[in-house]
């Protein structure tokens, strides 16, 4: 598909390449300092500068070209001095592709019950030694500048509850706008790192609209929608995403934070969103859960003890792909997926023939299967996004959605 329209800022280019004719779904190419990424995209979360259990090569092999790190975790350890000394998080973790960092406030509010938010910033007690600490917008940006991530997020005032009082919600929304201005002023590297704003305003359409207007005016290279991963009703989630995307400029990437269930991804894309992240696919892998086209399977279940099939028939991941089967020509292979070159040469599929029985056995005793399932789940999510993108480009996204829901929820009608 050729480019319909483009827009560039100092460290990012956004090329719109397709619009769905009946939904707000779009496909685009986003070029960041560490290379291009194709949108819509799911970004796996490497909290401690790695996806738990995976090497950078294994993450790369899934097709991932943009992953998340957390400012909060890296700022505490290894800390800013080490990050400055090594030259940033790409060097620290041996990852030459793109990184997005969340600003830290959300992690503190959701992980630490004792976080206290004032106009200055987020006050909390260090989980290491209990000493009082303050994360300000300026400090968050300073840390993210040392991390060197390709996309950095503003510090925002996030409320985790789904039904807070309206006055506090309004204060959080307006404060997030004020904190964006402080983040913009503090940002040392605007030509190499993209600062995204985060729209807040809870489940109130008017507050969301007011926040969108204020944020859009500030003209950041990309825009996030926050405050939506807290267990709100699906109808509220969809209404808020739609309210925001309706007001956002077409030629900037739109990122819905903390979203990763497959059903939320396919719907959010239809509502006009482009980027998503969530710990769920990797966390649930460590509990023995495989995400498949036909739903989530718990491979710890006894029925898998003697199931010698792949985790998911037809999947193209390194665990599931069988070099001599039809899976090597699955629809996903029509998209550009990195191929693995093996020392032996051969067909370079890199297949390792993992079975459900092995995962069932190993997850109860060891960690290897958890890592392999992590690879499968990340591949699944990235492949879902590749399929979504292909469907948008070929203008058949509504039909794709219909089939996807029938497959995932087992409706064979
Ligand atoms: N992760 C999920 N939701 C949010 C949010 O609203 N703000 C930030 N900073 N991170 C998030």
């Amino acid at each position: 598909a050729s480019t319909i329209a483009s827009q560039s800022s100092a460290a990012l280019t956004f090329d719109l390449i397709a619009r769905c004719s009946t939904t707000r779904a779009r496909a685009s190419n986003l070029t960041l300092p560490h290379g291009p990424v194709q949108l819509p995209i799911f970004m796996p979360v490497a909290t401690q500068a790695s996806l738990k259990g995976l090497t950078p090569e294994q993450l790369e092999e899934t097709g991932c070209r943009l992953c998340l790190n957390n400012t909060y975790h890296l700022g505490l350890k290894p800390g800013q001095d080490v990050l400055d000394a090594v030259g940033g998080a790409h060097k620290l973790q041996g990852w030459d592709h793109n990184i997005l960092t969340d600003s830290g406030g959300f992690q503190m509010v959701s992980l630490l019950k004792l976080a206290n938010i004032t106009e200055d910033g987020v006050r909390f007690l260090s989980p290491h030694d209990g000493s009082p600490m303050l994360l300000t917008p300026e400090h968050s940006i300073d840390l993210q500048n040392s991390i060197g991530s390709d996309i950095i997020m503003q510090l925002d005032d996030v409320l985790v509850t789904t039904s807070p009082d309206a006055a506090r919600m309004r204060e959080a929304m307006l404060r997030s706008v004020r904190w964006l201005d402080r983040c913009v002023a503090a940002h040392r590297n605007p030509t190499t790192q993209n600062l995204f704003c985060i729209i807040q305003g809870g489940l109130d359409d008017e507050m969301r609209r007011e926040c969108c207007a204020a944020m859009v005016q500030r003209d950041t290279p990309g825009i996030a929608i926050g405050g939506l991963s807290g267990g709100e009703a699906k109808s509220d989630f969809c209404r808020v995403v739609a309210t925001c995307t309706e007001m956002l400029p077409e030629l900037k990437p739109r990122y819905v934070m903390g979203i990763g269930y497959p059903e939320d991804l396919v719907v959010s894309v239809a509502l006009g969103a482009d980027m998503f992240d969530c710990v769920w696919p990797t966390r649930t892998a460590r509990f023995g859960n495989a995400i498949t086209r036909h739903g989530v399977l718990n491979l710890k279940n006894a029925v898998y003890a003697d199931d010698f099939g792949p985790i998911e028939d037809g999947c193209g991941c390194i665990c599931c792909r069988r070099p001599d089967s039809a899976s090597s020509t699955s629809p996903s292979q029509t998209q550009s997926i990195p191929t693995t070159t093996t020392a032996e040469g051969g067909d370079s599929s890199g297949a390792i023939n993992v079975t459900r029985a092995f995962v069932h056995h190993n997850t109860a005793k060891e960690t290897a299967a958890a890592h392999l399932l992590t690879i499968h789940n990340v591949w699944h999510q990235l492949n879902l996004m590749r399929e979504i993108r292909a469907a948008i480009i070929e203008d058949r996204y509504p039909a794709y959605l219909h089939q996807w829901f029938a497959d995932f929820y087992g409706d064979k009608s």
Side-chain angles (χ1 to χ4, degrees):
S2 56
T3 301
I4 298 170
S6 292
Q7 188 165 289
S8 293
S9 44
L12 165 162
T13 298
F14 182 88
D15 294 308
L16 182 70
I17 62 164
R19 284 189 203 99
C20 174
S21 54
T22 48
T23 72
R24 287 190 200 157
R26 61 254 192 89
S28 55
N29 296 334
L30 179 65
T31 306
L32 294 167
H34 287 80
V37 293
Q38 300 188 330
L39 307 187
I41 195 172
F42 175 79
M43 305 175 285
V45 183
T47 303
Q48 302 283 3
S50 80
L51 238 72
K52 290 192 197 322
L54 268 58
T55 64
E57 291 73 20
Q58 287 172 321
L59 180 57
E60 184 178 47
E61 209 280 335
T62 67
C64 177
R65 296 294 177 267
L66 171 55
C67 71
L68 253 77
N69 283 175
N70 279 320
T71 302
Y72 165 74
H73 295 86
L74 297 188
L76 283 172
K77 267 184 193 319
Q80 192 163 18
D81 290 347
V82 171
L83 288 162
D84 284 338
V86 72
H90 296 87
K91 294 227 173 83
L92 178 73
Q93 64 206 290
W95 178 250
D96 219 12
H97 304 296
N98 296 290
I99 298 173
L100 181 153
T101 39
D102 198 358
S103 50
F106 176 78
Q107 283 69 35
M108 280 189 289
V109 174
S110 58
L111 297 176
L112 304 176
K113 300 286 168 275
L114 294 175
N116 177 25
I117 299 173
T118 68
E119 190 63 22
D120 289 345
V122 185
R123 286 181 196 283
F124 64 106
L125 300 179
S126 163
H128 295 308
D129 59 11
S131 61
M133 299 180 74
L134 172 67
L135 184 70
T136 62
E138 293 77 13
H139 188 212
S140 173
I141 296 301
D142 194 39
L143 284 169
Q144 294 185 81
N145 286 156
S146 290
I147 289 170
S149 34
D150 302 273
I151 297 175
I152 69 179
M153 302 305 299
Q154 74 155 110
L155 190 69
D156 51 344
D157 185 353
V158 196
L159 302 180
V160 284
T161 165
T162 49
S163 56
D165 67 277
R168 175 68 185 98
M169 185 57 79
R170 189 169 170 75
E171 177 187 53
M173 183 275 278
L174 293 171
R175 176 173 290 150
S176 295
V177 178
R178 291 192 294 273
W179 282 3
L180 174 62
D181 290 335
R182 287 170 57 184
C183 288
V184 170
H187 189 9
R188 283 184 274 133
N189 307 326
T191 59
T192 53
Q193 293 183 277
N194 296 287
L195 171 60
F196 281 24
C197 64
I198 305 175
I199 294 162
Q200 294 293 346
L203 303 179
D204 183 312
D205 282 341
E206 258 326 297
M207 240 190 276
R208 287 281 178 176
R209 283 197 198 96
E210 191 179 340
C211 194
C212 283
M215 294 297 191
V216 167
Q217 206 189 13
R218 277 143 177 96
D219 199 25
T220 53
I223 297 171
I225 302 171
L228 278 180
S229 50
E232 63 285 336
K234 297 281 185 204
S235 54
D236 288 329
F237 170 82
C238 292
R239 177 175 50 77
V240 169
V241 173
T243 298
C244 294
T245 57
E246 190 176 15
M247 286 189 66
L248 298 182
E250 188 176 38
L251 298 181
K252 286 187 181 182
R254 305 162 178 174
Y255 165 26
V256 184
M257 306 190 78
I259 297 304
Y261 296 142
E263 62 272 30
D264 293 341
L265 299 176
V266 295
V267 168
S268 299
V269 168
L271 297 173
D274 309 307
M275 302 170 66
F276 312 93
D277 78 284
C278 191
V279 295
W280 173 74
T282 43
R283 180 175 291 163
T284 207
R286 301 196 295 277
F287 296 121
N289 292 315
I291 313 172
T292 79
R293 179 178 302 275
H294 296 285
V296 179
L297 310 179
N298 187 342
L299 297 181
K300 286 181 160 172
N301 195 309
V303 301
Y304 300 110
D306 60 354
D307 185 336
F308 307 118
I311 298 168
E312 179 177 14
D313 221 8
C315 168
C317 88
I318 195 169
C319 305
C320 298
R321 72 175 80 130
R322 301 291 187 260
D324 50 356
S325 75
S327 66
S328 58
T329 54
S330 69
S332 63
Q333 305 287 322
T334 60
Q335 290 278 303
S336 58
I337 297 173
T339 51
T340 315
T341 45
T342 59
E344 306 77 37
D347 70 1
S348 81
S349 73
I352 53 176
N353 300 314
V354 176
T355 64
R356 290 174 171 181
F358 170 73
V359 175
H360 174 84
H361 170 70
N362 185 270
T363 36
K365 308 188 181 284
E366 298 275 351
T367 55
H371 303 161
L372 295 169
L373 213 42
T374 300
I375 293 174
H376 169 84
N377 282 358
V378 171
W379 172 280
H380 177 92
Q381 297 292 90
L382 300 190
N383 193 58
L384 172 63
M385 303 316 282
R386 287 189 285 260
E387 287 187 3
I388 288 172
R389 180 177 155 99
I392 297 167
I393 290 172
E394 291 162 21
D395 204 7
R396 51 177 176 79
Y397 193 53
Y400 177 87
L401 263 180
H402 190 81
Q403 185 63 48
W404 186 89
F405 274 100
D407 288 344
F408 199 72
Y409 291 104
D411 172 9
K412 304 286 185 266
S413 61

